[in-house]
Structure formats: C-alpha cells, structure tokens
Amino acid sequence: MARNNEEGAVWSIMGYLISGLLIWGGIGYGLDNWLHTHYFLLGGLILGAGASIYLIWLRFGRE
Amino acid sequence: MQITGHLASSAGFVPPSTSDFNLPPIFGHSAYLTKPIALVFFSVILISAFFILASRKSAVVPSKLQYAGESIYSFVRKDLGEEIIGSGFLAYVPFLFTLFTFVLVNNVFGIIPFMQFPAMSHVSFPYVLAGFSYFIFHAIGVKRQGLIPYLKGIAFLPGVPKFAYILLTPIEIATYFLIRPVTLALRLFANMFAGHLLLLVFIGGGNYMLHDSHLLMKFLSPFSFSFGIIMTFFEFMVQCLQAYIITLLSALFIAGALAEEH
Amino acid sequence: MHGTLNLVGYGLSAIGPAIATGLIFAAYINGVARQPESRSVLQPIAFLGFALAEALALFGLVLAFVLK
C-alpha cells in the first residue's frame, strides 16, 4: 500500500511495530502467567519485533 | 473556572487532573447536555452555515467568503484527495472534507475564549470518527475486491516462504482490524487531552502563584501566564496539524483499500 | 506523590531512539536534497533504520507497563 508516500509509510511502520509487539508479546505474557515462568515475555517481544521488522522489509524495503 | 474553585477551597496547589475534563451538565441534572456535546452541536451548525453562505452565490469573481470556503475545499480536494487517493478520488472527497472541517473546528474551540474546551479530549468522540473511517475503508475494500480476496490480500503477503505466515499473519490481521482504528483515534485524543492539560497547568499555576502570599511567587506568576499564552499559540498549530493528520491517514487507508491487488 | 519509576525509566530510554530517528531522517533528507535521483535507493534503507530504532522505543514502552 501507498509505497511512494513517505508520511503514510512512516505511520504504517509504527502500526506494524506496535501490533507485532502486542500480539507476540501478549502471547508470551499469557504463557508466562499460565506456566508461572518469566522468560516467554522477553522471547515473545523479541520474536514480535523481529517479525514486524521482517514484515516492514517485505512491504517497504524490497524493490 | 473550575481551577479557581479548587484553589480557593484547598491550601496547596491542586494540579489539574482528569476530573477537570468531566464538566457538569448545563441544565439541571440531565447528563446528556454537557459542554462538549453543546460545542459539537454548535460546531456542526457553524460549519453548515459557513459553507452554505460561502457557496450560495457562486460567482466567477469570488467574494471574500466564497474565496475562504473554496480554498479550504480545494486544499482537501487537491492535497488529500487527488494526490493520495488518485483516480476515482472524487467519491471520497465529501467524507474527507467533513472529517477535516469537523475535527478542525472542534479542535480550535479549545483556544477560543469562552468555549475553551476541545471536544476531542473526550476519547469517545475520536473513537466514533475513527469508527467511521474504519467502516468506510473496509467497506471500500470489500466492495472493490470481494470479501474473500480482500481478506486474503490482508492476511497473506505474496512472495513469503510458507512458514513465515505463522509469524506474519497475526500481525497483519491485528494491524488492519485492531491497531489502525485505535491509533487513529488515540493520536487525536492524546494530543488534544495533553494540550488542554498543559494550558490548565500554566494558567492555573499562574493564578495560584498570583494569589500566593509570598512576594516572589507574585513576581514570578506573569512568567507562567506568558508561557501559557505562548503554549496557546503552539496549541493552535497542534490542533490544525492533528485535524490534517487524521484526514491524511483516513485518505491513506482508503487509498490502500482501493489499490491493494495481489 | 504517586506513580511508578518505570515511566521515568521509559522516558530516559526513549531519548536514544528519538535521537536515532532524528539522525536517520536528517541523513535521508540530506541525501535526497543533494541527489534527488538517489531517493529510491535511500528510501527503503531509511525506513528500515527508522523501524529498527522505533522497535527499541516500543520495546521500552511495553516493558515499562509490564514489568513490576
């Protein structure tokens, strides 16, 4: 979407990052609460950040 | 007004809080007619009256009123409609134009004397506006591409190895259906809320310092007031910018729903 | 006073990504202003750099709310 528009790209990058962190971080948080551990949250956050940066590269980075 | 009440009744400085945004009803005990609602109704009347008057006698050589109305309209049409949405933009200009003028007028009410309350600092108003935008851009996408291809286009990006879909599809779905409307509304809400709170802090603080018994505090209070005035001008800039940004993002979402083809 | 020090920590940690974002876009604008035809090459790099810097800021935001 709107690949040539820079303002739009910046806003959608923000959106992808937020949702990636929320979804995978949320899954990690839920697993932590369920299994009484405290490392799934960090793993989930890193996974989410990595996945959303990969998604951003797919959408905006490759030519 | 509320702040001076706080100050008179208590000993120390009471910083403004969220309770300053819950204004009492105007008439009696009916909870439905409060200041923000009255301001929203007034803004609708004001906008309608202005544009009806501006477009009633359209002449080749425009009057000042017609010129003002047309320049706002052409700004939305050219900079937000034509440049971002592209071909077939004319069908969406009415929505964008209504959104822009409504948000702009309601934001600017935040610094006009005697009104001085941006209705958008109550989160329910931006939620409704973002809900309109959300419904419209999804409806356009579904109408253009059909329900299944549209959802498939959102969820599955082409050219990705199969296992990556497990990671990426939840993010895409959450972005389109959850994060977009919420961030659209919260951006406007947070800016208006924080701006109004900032003005309350400086004006209320200046007022408190002026009534303080200590002479140094009396001497320093004009600085607080003048900073409040500077911040008022800054707020005007932010208010116009936020009205522009919510319209820009709605236009971008519509453009995305129109153009997305996989 | 009420509140949590987490938010102070988040405020401090947000300085880094803020400066980073500023530097990235300053360099991008500089490059495009000097050589407008390099835009298509620079744009993906600038966006990826922005995404990396912004990810760290949002990381801090999430952790500020989650950690107890």
Side-chain angles (χ1 to χ4, degrees):
Chain A
M1 64 155 289
R3 188 167 294 187
N4 296 320
N5 193 301
E6 277 155 27
E7 294 162 90
V10 168
W11 291 121
S12 31
I13 285 173
M14 285 279 286
Y16 280 133
L17 282 172
I18 292 172
S19 53
L21 284 173
L22 282 188
I23 289 291
W24 288 104
I27 289 173
Y29 187 72
L31 281 177
D32 270 350
N33 269 357
W34 181 40
L35 300 171
H36 300 288
T37 52
H38 43 263
Y39 43 82
F40 278 114
L41 171 66
L42 197 64
L45 284 178
I46 291 171
L47 189 70
S52 41
I53 289 172
Y54 178 48
L55 185 57
I56 289 162
W57 180 73
L58 291 171
R59 287 260 177 192
F60 302 101
R62 60 180 179 183
E63 282 304 302
Chain B
M1 275 183 281
Q2 244 185 335
I3 287 203
T4 48
H6 277 307
L7 292 178
S9 63
S10 60
F13 176 60
V14 179
S17 66
T18 47
S19 61
D20 287 318
F21 287 82
N22 297 327
L23 299 174
I26 295 175
F27 300 114
H29 298 287
S30 129
Y32 296 105
L33 190 64
T34 53
K35 195 176 175 184
I37 294 177
L39 282 180
V40 165
F41 275 113
F42 180 62
S43 75
V44 171
I45 295 168
L46 195 72
I47 295 167
S48 316
F50 176 75
F51 284 106
I52 287 169
L53 282 179
S55 63
R56 196 180 45 182
K57 278 183 277 177
S58 41
V60 181
V61 180
S63 63
K64 272 179 187 157
L65 195 67
Q66 188 192 343
Y67 180 74
E70 278 179 359
S71 58
I72 300 172
Y73 176 71
S74 73
F75 166 71
V76 176
R77 179 173 164 157
K78 281 216 185 75
D79 288 7
L80 293 170
E82 201 170 1
E83 280 203 3
I84 289 169
I85 299 180
S87 64
F89 69 97
L90 211 55
Y92 312 110
V93 169
F95 169 65
L96 295 177
F97 181 63
T98 315
L99 186 66
F100 179 71
T101 48
F102 181 72
V103 175
L104 181 69
V105 169
N106 271 302
N107 283 352
V108 173
F109 275 173
I111 57 168
I112 292 178
F114 303 113
M115 299 182 183
Q116 280 176 325
F117 192 85
M120 297 298 156
S121 62
H122 275 277
V123 76
S124 44
F125 292 102
Y127 273 152
V128 170
L129 293 180
F132 271 118
S133 180
Y134 180 70
F135 178 76
I136 285 175
F137 88 81
H138 280 309
I140 289 168
V142 170
K143 199 177 156 199
R144 263 297 162 100
Q145 303 163 24
L147 184 62
I148 304 296
Y150 178 63
L151 292 180
K152 211 176 149 205
I154 286 175
F156 299 106
L157 202 64
V160 183
K162 285 272 186 296
F163 63 88
Y165 283 135
I166 305 169
L167 276 178
L168 300 186
T169 302
I171 298 178
E172 289 268 26
I173 290 173
T175 306
Y176 272 81
F177 292 99
L178 214 65
I179 301 293
R180 275 187 169 184
V182 171
T183 51
L184 192 64
L186 285 188
R187 190 173 295 121
L188 178 60
F189 157 72
N191 273 284
M192 289 305 108
F193 182 80
H196 194 61
L197 210 58
L198 198 68
L199 294 184
L200 284 181
V201 167
F202 280 113
I203 305 293
N207 195 8
Y208 172 74
M209 284 155 85
L210 194 65
H211 289 94
D212 198 77
S213 56
H214 206 286
L215 201 65
L216 184 67
M217 290 289 249
K218 276 195 204 301
F219 177 72
L220 284 176
S221 78
F223 292 102
S224 181
F225 277 125
S226 54
F227 213 81
I229 293 168
I230 294 169
M231 276 300 153
T232 306
F233 287 110
F234 176 72
E235 265 313 294
F236 178 67
M237 199 185 77
V238 171
Q239 284 158 350
C240 296
L241 194 68
Q242 288 305 317
Y244 172 69
I245 282 179
I246 192 172
T247 322
L248 173 78
L249 285 176
S250 300
L252 281 169
F253 293 162
I254 291 172
L258 277 175
E260 214 140 11
E261 50 210 26
H262 297 298
Chain C
M1 272 189 27
H2 300 287
T4 160
L5 270 179
N6 281 1
L7 290 178
V8 179
Y10 173 58
L12 288 176
S13 73
I15 296 172
I19 295 173
T21 307
L23 286 177
I24 289 161
F25 279 105
Y28 171 58
I29 292 165
N30 235 325
V32 174
R34 279 168 196 244
Q35 247 181 329
E37 65 269 24
S38 70
R39 183 189 206 122
S40 59
V41 182
L42 292 181
Q43 193 170 330
I45 303 171
F47 284 162
L48 273 184
F50 167 72
L52 281 169
E54 202 60 34
L56 294 177
L58 293 173
F59 226 94
L61 178 67
V62 173
L63 287 180
F65 281 105
V66 165
L67 288 184
K68 286 190 200 78

